[in-house]
Amino acid sequence: MGVWQLLMVGLVMLLGLLGVLVPGVPGPWLVWAAMLWWALQVQTGLAWVLLVASTVLLLVTQVVVWQLPPRRLRGVGVTRRMAVFAGAGALLGFVLVPVVGAVPGYVGGIYGSERLRLGRHGEAVASTRAVMRAVGTSVLVDLFACLLVVGAWAGAVLWG
C-alpha cells in the first residue's frame, strides 16, 4: 500500500474521530470503513485480525451506547468549542498516557472549555458534571473505541 493511500486511510480515520464529536455524523462507521479499506488493500494476517477485532469492538460499542440514556444536548449548553476542547483533550490524553489517558483528557477538555466560559472553578465543575451526565458518557464510549481502533491501525502501520 502506497504512502498516499495510507494518508487517505489516516485522514478518513481522523474524520471519523472528529465525527464522533459531531452529532449526526457516523464517526465510528467512518473509522471502520477506513480499517476495512486498509485491510482489503494490505491483505495480511494482521490486517484481517485488526479488521475483525475492530468490527467486534465497534459493534459492542454501539450496543453499549444504545443502552445508555438518550442525549439531551439543549439543556446543558454543549457548544462546538466544548466539543473541540473535549476531542483535543481525549486525543492528547490518549497520546500522553496510551489508551487510558483518553478518559481524563476528555473530561479535562470539557472542564477547560467550561472554565474559560464561566471563569470560576466551582461553576466549571458543576457544568462539567451536567455535560457528562447528558452527553459525555455516550460520546466518550464511542470516542474511546474509535481511538483504540485508530491506535491499533497506527501501530500496525508503523510495525509493518
Side-chain angles (χ1 to χ4, degrees):
M1 182 172 230
V3 174
W4 287 109
Q5 284 184 324
L6 283 175
L7 286 174
M8 291 305 290
V9 169
L11 180 64
V12 171
M13 285 189 175
L14 180 63
L15 289 174
L17 288 174
L18 295 174
V20 170
L21 302 172
V22 178
V25 177
W29 299 112
L30 286 173
V31 170
W32 180 81
M35 179 67 81
L36 174 66
W37 178 257
W38 175 74
L40 288 172
Q41 294 300 314
V42 174
Q43 295 186 2
T44 63
L46 178 62
W48 295 120
V49 168
L50 285 179
L51 177 64
V52 169
S54 64
T55 302
V56 170
L57 176 65
L58 292 174
L59 287 175
V60 168
T61 300
Q62 290 304 306
V63 170
V64 169
V65 167
W66 289 332
Q67 298 300 317
L68 294 173
R71 297 180 182 184
R72 301 175 303 268
L73 294 174
R74 302 234 183 238
V76 294
V78 174
T79 63
R80 288 184 185 185
R81 183 172 95 173
M82 182 187 300
V84 169
F85 272 62
L91 188 60
L92 184 65
F94 186 80
V95 170
L96 292 176
V97 182
V99 181
V100 296
V103 175
Y106 179 80
V107 176
I110 292 173
Y111 171 79
S113 171
E114 291 301 279
R115 180 70 189 251
L116 286 175
R117 184 174 71 91
L118 300 171
R120 295 182 184 213
H121 172 71
E123 293 173 2
V125 168
S127 180
T128 301
R129 284 184 184 150
V131 168
M132 287 302 294
R133 281 187 202 113
V135 298
T137 308
S138 61
V139 171
L140 184 59
V141 169
D142 268 342
L143 184 62
F144 189 67
C146 287
L147 281 170
L148 284 175
V149 171
V150 172
W153 171 78
V157 168
L158 292 174
W159 185 51

